[in-house]
Amino acid sequence: MSMQIFGVDIGGTGIKGAPVDLERGDLAQERHKVLTPHPATPEGVAGCVGEVVRNFDWDGPLGVTFPGVVTSGVIRSAANMDKSWIGVDAAALISREVGGLPVTVLNDADAAGVAEMTYGAGRGRGGTVLLLTLGTGIGSALFTDGRLVANSELGHLELKGHDAETRASVKAKEDHDLTWERWAHRVQKYLQHVEMLFSPDLFIIGGGVSRKPEKFLPLIEGVRAEIVPATLQNNAGIVGAAMAAKAAKTAKTAEKVAK
């Protein structure tokens, strides 16, 4: 039987999860999604994660992504979630909600990036690779020769005096009713700024918008790096979350053996 671990992706608008087949790097079952509560408080969001997990009668380790900086399961920033998350041990909170199951929490874009580098558009790529998730905000995952530089948060770079994600995210496109052309121009300016700072060899564009690359990628000019849509599209976060849970389980097993 193939190795399955549960992954949950917490976003600003929705919380989705499913068991993941880690041999194939794909969902083992159709994902279940619930709307993110507003306000997106720790208790409210943890309750929704529990609802997603219970929908599958899951009884094992799970990985959970969060849209913000995460260190050792603790939330350090929450730009698109309720500020009461900051300082919360999300891994412990969610574990209590799911009956004490082992929970690993990591940044959402980092999870998507690890999945894309293992199974998707970044597979086998060396050099500097940057995955950018365009959605409610802009998440980033930075890799150098396949190694993740965690919690890069490049969506918060300043662009024309504004937080970049307030100009170039999908939410910004919707809030300002921008055409694909006008929005692509903003994304182009953002990519040029990031390229100036990091000189990546490859940009991978993830998030829900990666399902429609033909609408905007051909409109982006003046960027030296190759730009490709994420192969796993909006499932990358779920897959990466499951990968993190498996890595944590493996590390724990090794620790026990060492003792």
Side-chain angles (χ1 to χ4, degrees):
M1 186 184 159
S2 62
M3 176 68 172
Q4 288 188 17
I5 299 261
F6 204 89
V8 180
D9 192 13
I10 296 173
T13 53
I15 297 167
K16 50 195 183 290
V20 175
D21 180 338
L22 289 174
E23 278 181 22
R24 294 187 300 117
D26 201 2
L27 308 191
Q29 295 181 51
E30 195 173 326
R31 70 189 191 186
H32 182 67
K33 181 177 180 176
V34 298
L35 292 177
T36 303
H38 290 285
T41 60
E43 290 72 21
V45 170
C48 288
V49 172
E51 187 183 327
V52 170
V53 174
R54 285 188 289 274
N55 184 70
F56 294 88
D57 293 325
W58 184 257
D59 185 25
L62 59 139
V64 180
T65 77
F66 185 85
V69 173
V70 185
T71 55
S72 303
V74 177
I75 307 305
R76 303 297 181 194
S77 75
N80 294 298
M81 304 295 276
D82 195 81
K83 294 292 177 274
S84 59
W85 270 104
I86 296 171
V88 168
D89 186 336
L93 174 68
I94 294 168
S95 180
R96 286 196 296 274
E97 179 64 39
V98 294
L101 297 177
V103 174
T104 304
V105 181
L106 72 161
N107 173 268
D108 58 346
D110 285 351
V114 168
E116 284 292 334
M117 292 300 284
T118 306
Y119 302 105
R123 187 174 183 177
R125 294 294 294 251
T128 301
V129 178
L130 250 171
L131 171 117
L132 298 167
T133 57
L134 305 180
T136 307
I138 296 176
S140 62
L142 174 62
F143 295 85
T144 177
D145 288 332
R147 292 178 67 86
L148 172 69
V149 181
N151 292 310
S152 55
E153 292 292 289
L154 301 181
H156 300 299
L157 288 172
E158 190 178 301
L159 195 63
K160 290 187 178 289
H162 300 276
D163 210 32
E165 69 178 19
T166 65
R167 292 187 56 79
S169 65
V170 172
K171 185 175 186 292
K173 179 186 184 300
E174 292 165 355
D175 286 352
H176 301 289
D177 199 22
L178 300 174
T179 61
W180 283 105
E181 287 78 10
R182 286 192 64 193
W183 182 68
H185 182 68
R186 289 187 176 196
V187 173
Q188 174 181 307
K189 291 288 184 198
Y190 173 63
L191 294 180
Q192 288 171 333
H193 186 56
V194 174
E195 182 167 68
M196 178 193 71
L197 295 170
F198 293 94
S199 302
D201 300 285
L202 175 69
F203 280 115
I204 302 172
I205 306 298
V209 77
S210 60
R211 287 193 297 267
K212 308 169 188 171
E214 72 288 348
K215 297 274 192 187
F216 68 101
L217 286 189
L219 303 172
I220 294 172
E221 299 172 341
V223 177
R224 183 193 57 78
E226 186 183 352
I227 309 170
V228 298
T231 311
L232 306 180
Q233 298 179 350
N234 222 11
N235 288 336
I238 297 175
V239 173
M243 290 174 69
K246 180 179 185 287
K249 183 184 177 187
T250 303
K252 209 162 195 177
T253 304
E255 209 176 279
K256 280 181 184 171
V257 171
K259 282 178 182 176

